[in-house]
């Protein structure tokens, strides 16, 4: 009988080194794995083991079961090894995403085959020792225990222009946190996440970023058999609220403190006193601002579990997200969210609930670092959490006032007196939110030319609620423009306000039906359309028309087709 180390699970086949080109060469500064406690079951990186071997073999005496099989891990991370993928094809590269880490999109395309191999994980970037994050989380309000990155692997950290970026591959293979899944990603969800992150950045929403999208011919089974893909994505850090919750749930306060100290050292270096209080305060501020901007652009995340909440206040983990079509505050984009916990209008409340979960593991650190009594710690945490509402409201008011053309000094009642009445009218008629906000840009001119009724007619045509009394609604909308919005706009005394508003209200948005159309075109072989739509949704999101060569995308600013109304997605991807 063969010894266990010669079995399939006793040894691990590693990936060959990627050919050195401009798109595969990065300098790594791997502080996370060097400074934070990891998986005690596998202390040495597999590629470090390989370097000690005197043969040219890519097989090492590292049990594959430790790398790919689901198990409980004590530590904040585990080593990971990506898998070989059949026929990887480079589909798209984000020029601005590449620039963030000192690369260029042109270098990817000039070496497309090499790039596809490297950025799918089929080959290994020199110096990279991949790892996967370990974290827990509350899912739909219930503690779920250990979760972790089941199909995302960090290649390493790289510093460019004094900014630290952690580079990940999503869909490159299983890790010890794979649970009942397979570690892979399908094309449809990968297209959505890849485009969404860059689009959200273009919309001025804090977000992780995308680098590249690679298709593979790997067959992945979801509700049906699909083909695979790998997204390369980057963020200053992929640490989540759940990264703190997991060690705290195990009463491992030493690890919780090490993680908090690490985040402060590398991401909030200006924090100098009361560090753990300030860490919570920063998380509150950044999360409040992020969610406020979600509400302003009509973005519904869909799965706001604590394991999907960034400690830096970035939008991460684009799963069953959606942008509003009809303005419906109660809209639920995740068809697995039966209770509507993560409905559009619930997002601010859920964000605060999640921050309260983050505060729990930080409480012990605050208590010990300040020699505070338990009641004093509770008071300081309560004060930090109570700041969420005012900070959310301030950011929401700031952004919405700009979308309404109120660029001067805001009035205290602008949201209640100007913004909310308009949104209430949209909700009543089920009016297309993106179209309505873009149409608002033409209202200043319409007021001066006495053509408001034509604007209102256009809004009525883009409304879905057939039970609404359209005649009465149109009358009230006209009255709103002439008696509420118009007089407030005059106080601004600004020239060319409509053109300025167009830079605040996008014309092209990655709605679910738009994403589905892009996915279906890619499924039919039009892979270039994905890269073109990246350009549309980033460089041209605020333009009146699709640029030359993308005329087919003009419909993406048009009415929602009947087949696209109310599209929902699930967490299956």
């Amino acid at each position: 009988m063969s010894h266990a180390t010669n079995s399939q699970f006793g040894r691990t086949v590693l990936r060959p080194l990627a050919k050195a080109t401009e798109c595969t060469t990065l300098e790594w500064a791997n502080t996370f794995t060097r400074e934070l406690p990891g998986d005690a079951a596998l202390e040495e990186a597999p590629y470090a083991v390989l370097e000690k071997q005197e043969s040219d073999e890519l097989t090492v005496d590292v049990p594959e079961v430790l790398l790919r099989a689901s198990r409980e891990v004590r530590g904040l991370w585990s080593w990971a090894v990506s898998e070989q993928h059949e026929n990887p094809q480079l589909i798209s590269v984000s020029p601005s995403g590449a620039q963030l880490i000192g690369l260029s999109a042109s270098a990817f395309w000039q070496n497309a085959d090499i790039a596809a191999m490297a950025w799918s994980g089929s080959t290994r970037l020199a110096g990279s020792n991949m790892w996967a994050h370990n974290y827990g989380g509350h899912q739909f309000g219930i503690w779920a225990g250990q979760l972790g990155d089941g199909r995302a692997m960090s290649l390493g950290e790289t510093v460019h222009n004094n900014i630290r970026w952690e580079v990940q591959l999503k869909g490159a293979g299983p890790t010890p946190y794979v649970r009942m899944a397979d570690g892979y990603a399908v094309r449809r969800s990968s297209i959505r996440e890849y485009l969404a992150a860059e689009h959200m950045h273009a919309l001025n929403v804090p977000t992780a970023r995308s680098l590249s999208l690679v298709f593979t011919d790997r067959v992945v089974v979801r509700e049906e058999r699909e083909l695979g893909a790998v997204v390369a994505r980057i963020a200053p850090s992929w640490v989540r609220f759940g990264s703190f919750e997991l060690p705290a749930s195990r009463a491992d306060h030493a690890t919780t403190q090490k993680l908090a100290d690490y985040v402060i050292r590398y991401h909030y270096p200006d924090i100098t006193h009361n560090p753990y209080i300030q860490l919570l305060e920063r998380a509150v501020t950044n999360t409040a601002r992020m969610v406020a901007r979600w509400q302003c652009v009509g973005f519904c995340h869909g799965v706001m579990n604590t394991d999907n909440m960034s400690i830096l206040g970035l939008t991460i983990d684009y799963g069953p997200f959606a942008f509003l079509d009809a303005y419906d505050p109660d809209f639920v984009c995740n068809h697995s969210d039966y209770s509507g916990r993560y409905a559009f209008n619930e997002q601010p409340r859920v964000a605060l609930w999640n921050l309260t979960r983050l505060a729990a593991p930080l409480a012990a650190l605050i208590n010990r670092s300040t020699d505070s009594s338990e009641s004093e710690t509770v008071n300081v945490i309560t004060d930090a959490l109570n700041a969420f509402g005012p900070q959310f409201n301030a950011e929401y008011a700031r952004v919405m006032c700009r979308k309404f053309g109120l660029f001067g000094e805001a009035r205290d009642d602008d949201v209640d007196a100007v913004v909310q009445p308009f949104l209430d009218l949209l909700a009543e008629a089920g009016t297309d939110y993106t179209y309505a906000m873009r149409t608002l840009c033409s209202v200043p001119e319409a007021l001066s030319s006495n053509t408001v009724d034509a604007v209102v007619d256009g809004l009525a045509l883009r409304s879905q609620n057939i039970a609404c009394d359209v005649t009465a609604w149109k009358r009230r909308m006209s009255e709103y423009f002439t008696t509420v919005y118009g007089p407030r706009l005059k106080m601004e005394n600004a020239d060319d306000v409509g053109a300025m508003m167009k830079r605040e209200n996008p014309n092209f948005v990655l709605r679910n039906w738009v994403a589905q159309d892009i996915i279906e075109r890619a499924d039919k072989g039009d892979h270039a359309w994905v890269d073109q739509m990246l350009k549309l949704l980033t460089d041209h999101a605020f333009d009146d028309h699709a640029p030359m060569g993308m005329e087919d995308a003009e419909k993406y600013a048009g009415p929602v087709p009947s087949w696209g109304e109310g599209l929902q997605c699930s967490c299956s991807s």
Side-chain angles (χ1 to χ4, degrees), residues 58 65 81 93 229 287 351 393 398 401 445 449 569:
L58 287 171
V65 68
V81 172
V93 182
T287 302
N393 291 336
R398 184 189 71 81
C401 282
E445 175 62 27
S449 61
C569 295

Side-chain angles (χ1 to χ4, degrees), residues 76 143 241-257 357-365:
L76 294 170
W143 175 244
F241 291 6
S243 303
F244 294 87
E245 289 183 282
L246 182 61
S249 74
R250 296 168 170 171
D252 186 357
H253 301 301
T255 295
T256 306
Q257 182 170 350
R357 306 286 78 73
L358 173 65
L362 294 180
L365 308 185

Side-chain angles (χ1 to χ4, degrees), residues 351-401:
L352 179 56
W353 191 92
N354 289 343
L355 285 161
T356 305
R357 306 286 78 73
L358 173 65
L362 294 180
L365 308 185
I366 294 170
N367 197 12
R368 290 190 304 184
S369 67
T370 59
D371 292 325
S372 302
S373 67
E374 186 172 321
S375 62
E376 289 172 331
T377 299
V378 169
N379 289 338
V380 75
I381 287 174
T382 300
D383 288 344
L385 294 172
N386 283 343
F388 177 88
Q391 292 185 13
F392 171 87
N393 291 336
E395 182 68 0
Y396 181 80
R398 184 189 71 81
V399 177
M400 288 302 285
C401 282

Side-chain angles (χ1 to χ4, degrees), residues 226-249:
E226 302 182 54
L227 292 177
V230 178
V231 173
R233 60 186 193 175
I234 59 176
S237 173
W238 292 98
V239 171
R240 300 125 188 284
F241 291 6
S243 303
F244 294 87
E245 289 183 282
L246 182 61
S249 74

Side-chain angles (χ1 to χ4, degrees), residues 118-137:
W119 293 102
S120 66
S122 297
T123 57
R124 172 207 178 204
L125 273 67
S128 170
N129 285 303
M130 304 176 79
W131 81 89
H133 283 264
N134 187 20
Y135 48 80

Side-chain angles (χ1 to χ4, degrees), residues 321-343:
F321 73 89
F323 288 88
L324 295 177
D325 288 324
Y327 184 75
D328 176 7
D330 297 322
F331 175 67
V332 176
C333 63
N334 182 351
H335 73 55
S336 301
D337 184 6
Y338 307 114
S339 68
R341 176 181 177 83
Y342 299 141

Side-chain angles (χ1 to χ4, degrees), residues 14 16 34 36 38 45 97 121 130 155 157 170 211 232 244 322 334 337 362 366 409 442 448 477 509 532 562:
L14 306 184
R34 188 172 64 246
L36 294 173
M130 304 176 79
L155 298 178
E157 305 155 64
K170 184 173 181 178
L211 174 60
F244 294 87
N334 182 351
D337 184 6
L362 294 180
I366 294 170
E409 185 173 348
S442 65
S448 63
M477 181 62 85
V509 170
Q532 287 180 285
S562 58

